[in-house]
Amino acid sequence: QKRVRIPSHRGQAWHHVKMKGSFFLEDDSAIVSLQYRLHIPQTTNVYLTIQPINLSQTKEKPSSSMSVDTSLFIVSGNHVKEDDNFVCFTELRDKEKFGWTGELSAGTYYLLPFSTGCRLVKSQKVVSKPMQLVHRMDSGELGLTREFRVALSDIFEVVDLDGNGLLSLEEYNFFEQRTSGEKCDEDAWAICKENFDTKKNELTREGFMELNLMEANDREGDPRDLWITMEAMGFNRALEMVEACPFVIDVYCEDVKPILQAVNLESGPRMLNAALLRTITSKAEARNLKNHDSVTVYTYRGESRISSVIANKSNQKVTVHVNNEQSKNCKSSRGMCVFAVEVPARTKMVCQHVMPVNEKQEWVYSCVESVLP
């Protein structure tokens, strides 16, 4: 398939906004992230992209997140029925960047980041000796180790969504919600600003370090709470970010300045699932399973991923056996070659996403689905 070049000349005189974010892997292997609200004041040509961020300090060894697939689903924010508000998704590709270009009408949209789960997976690495987070200095006071400071600096990069080098209360709260499930209110933020380094009402990188040092001091050097924070942010005990993938979204508009905000939508996962089902079924080849006219498999073939949906039109649940053993150089989002999917009555369900293990080599997708008796 020919590679579609995302137009690079477009960005020159266009209005540009960008925002960062991150995919996080949950304990049940679900992938979560913030969503984004895009407001376009008048109908205009739009060009938007998403790509992973390389946090690595060394050029020779890019961070593992650079191989993670990223895409954006754009849905209309005008509260019509949730299944019908899908607008488009990023199908153009240039290396690790995925994009979409076209015209969008004036209005509000939600950008829903998506990753298949083929590349962002539970880390199998066993860390025999955890890194030290804090140490006693000659003065007897606690200090953060160099390795921990580097990791905290990476977290700061990920949480600084607008990329201005400072953390606003809103940005800090996305971090708090991710790590502790709580939010910092205005009063607590005021105390934060009195005690830690701030600039223009926002927390500096150094202030963020001080805050983590204070937490270590509160626990008298016991690192357990610090590790809870690090693991929630996708780090293992060797302080490698293995279960998160930071990304950046860029939006270019020809005629107007777009407004982009990060949000935490309760309905985000549901909207994303509806959009996924919609794109796969509308762009896919459909076939009924042998001896089961009421069970249909839809297979969408994109340039870098293949996705399938199983639709069960019957009045009872069916269990579908899925076998990818004849595939070559392929990895399924299910994490195994052979599995079964239970599809409730009158329901459509994503069966799997498949990507090449090695992008430089040929990959052959061969999947056999059958209904279990």
Side-chain angles (χ1 to χ4, degrees):
Q1 281 180 311
K2 72 175 199 299
R3 212 159 259 266
V4 185
R5 285 274 163 225
I6 294 175
S8 56
H9 62 275
R10 287 183 175 276
Q12 267 139 28
W14 291 32
H15 301 272
H16 174 217
V17 287
K18 67 194 276 185
M19 269 243 139
K20 289 186 283 189
S22 184
F23 292 112
F24 295 105
L25 200 54
E26 300 284 51
D27 290 339
D28 63 357
S29 289
I31 294 173
V32 298
S33 80
L34 291 171
Q35 294 84 30
Y36 299 81
R37 190 188 289 119
L38 174 66
H39 181 67
I40 297 194
Q42 70 185 56
T43 300
T44 180
N45 282 321
V46 176
Y47 162 50
L48 41 89
T49 64
I50 181 170
Q51 61 184 322
I53 297 173
N54 188 8
L55 289 175
S56 173
Q57 315 295 334
T58 58
K59 289 278 176 281
E60 300 77 60
K61 190 175 173 268
S63 50
S64 59
S65 60
M66 292 312 282
S67 65
V68 174
D69 58 286
T70 61
S71 55
L72 273 183
F73 283 80
I74 296 95
V75 301
S76 156
N78 314 333
H79 298 281
V80 285
K81 201 160 139 270
E82 248 171 40
D83 305 349
D84 304 334
N85 58 5
F86 167 72
V87 179
C88 57
F89 78 109
T90 49
E91 236 179 333
L92 304 178
R93 177 176 184 193
D94 180 10
K95 301 193 186 82
E96 60 271 337
K97 183 189 289 186
F98 283 80
W100 177 85
T101 183
E103 189 180 79
L104 286 182
S105 307
T108 299
Y109 298 86
Y110 288 112
L111 307 186
L112 311 174
F114 168 70
S115 187
T116 59
C118 295
R119 306 263 172 88
L120 185 57
V121 293
K122 283 276 161 210
S123 172
Q124 300 304 317
K125 182 174 173 178
V126 178
V127 179
S128 50
K129 190 167 180 283
M131 283 284 191
Q132 244 191 310
L133 302 183
V134 291
H135 63 109
R136 288 247 172 242
M137 299 187 291
D138 296 344
S139 60
E141 286 182 33
L142 277 180
L144 307 176
T145 62
R146 193 182 65 80
E147 296 82 3
F148 187 35
R149 285 182 73 91
V150 169
L152 284 175
S153 188
D154 281 353
I155 288 178
F156 185 91
E157 278 300 318
V158 172
V159 182
D160 173 21
L161 302 176
D162 62 10
N164 72 345
L166 301 165
L167 295 190
S168 65
L169 172 57
E170 191 182 21
E171 289 169 329
Y172 180 71
N173 270 334
F174 286 136
F175 165 73
E176 273 295 317
Q177 267 183 302
R178 175 72 206 157
T179 54
S180 68
E182 287 164 19
K183 273 184 150 184
C184 170
D185 59 21
E186 293 285 351
D187 296 346
W189 188 244
I191 294 167
C192 242
K193 289 190 301 194
E194 275 166 33
N195 291 296
F196 307 119
D197 189 41
T198 54
K199 203 168 155 183
K200 300 187 229 166
N201 245 344
E202 299 192 324
L203 200 57
T204 64
R205 193 179 299 256
E206 201 39 57
F208 184 65
M209 301 283 173
E210 292 165 0
L211 196 134
N212 282 280
L213 180 58
M214 184 198 76
E215 197 168 310
N217 274 311
D218 285 351
R219 305 278 180 276
E220 285 164 3
D222 182 342
R224 274 178 296 190
D225 283 4
L226 295 173
W227 276 122
I228 290 171
T229 297
M230 297 312 286
E231 285 171 351
M233 293 303 288
F235 284 80
N236 63 11
R237 295 283 168 125
L239 289 179
E240 298 160 327
M241 191 190 275
V242 287
E243 293 188 357
C245 168
F247 57 76
V248 61
I249 294 169
D250 288 275
V251 180
Y252 297 87
C253 289
E254 189 170 22
D255 306 311
V256 286
K257 191 157 177 60
I259 299 164
L260 188 62
Q261 288 166 299
V263 287
N264 209 339
L265 289 178
E266 284 294 310
S267 60
R270 204 168 64 239
M271 282 161 73
L272 179 59
N273 190 49
L276 249 180
L277 290 172
R278 179 81 184 270
T279 57
I280 295 169
T281 51
S282 68
K283 289 173 176 271
E285 49 188 71
R287 59 185 166 81
N288 293 344
L289 289 192
K290 204 170 148 195
N291 305 331
H292 290 276
D293 287 347
S294 56
V295 183
T296 308
V297 176
Y298 295 88
T299 308
Y300 161 81
R301 293 168 189 270
E303 187 196 336
S304 54
R305 74 171 158 96
I306 291 171
S307 298
S308 62
V309 160
I310 299 173
N312 174 15
K313 301 180 192 83
S314 72
N315 290 323
Q316 57 256 11
K317 73 166 193 215
V318 293
T319 303
V320 178
H321 182 263
V322 181
N323 185 333
N324 294 317
E325 282 178 318
Q326 295 305 306
S327 295
K328 290 188 180 72
N329 186 28
C330 283
K331 183 158 192 202
S332 167
S333 57
R334 293 274 175 176
M336 35 200 163
C337 279
V338 181
F339 55 92
V341 184
E342 200 172 90
V343 189
R346 305 207 160 277
T347 302
K348 282 190 188 105
M349 237 170 117
V350 174
C351 169
Q352 65 176 344
H353 306 287
V354 174
M355 292 186 75
V357 177
N358 182 340
E359 293 242 345
K360 294 188 175 74
Q361 292 171 0
E362 187 193 10
W363 55 301
V364 179
Y365 172 73
S366 167
C367 181
V368 180
E369 296 96 348
S370 51
V371 175
L372 290 176

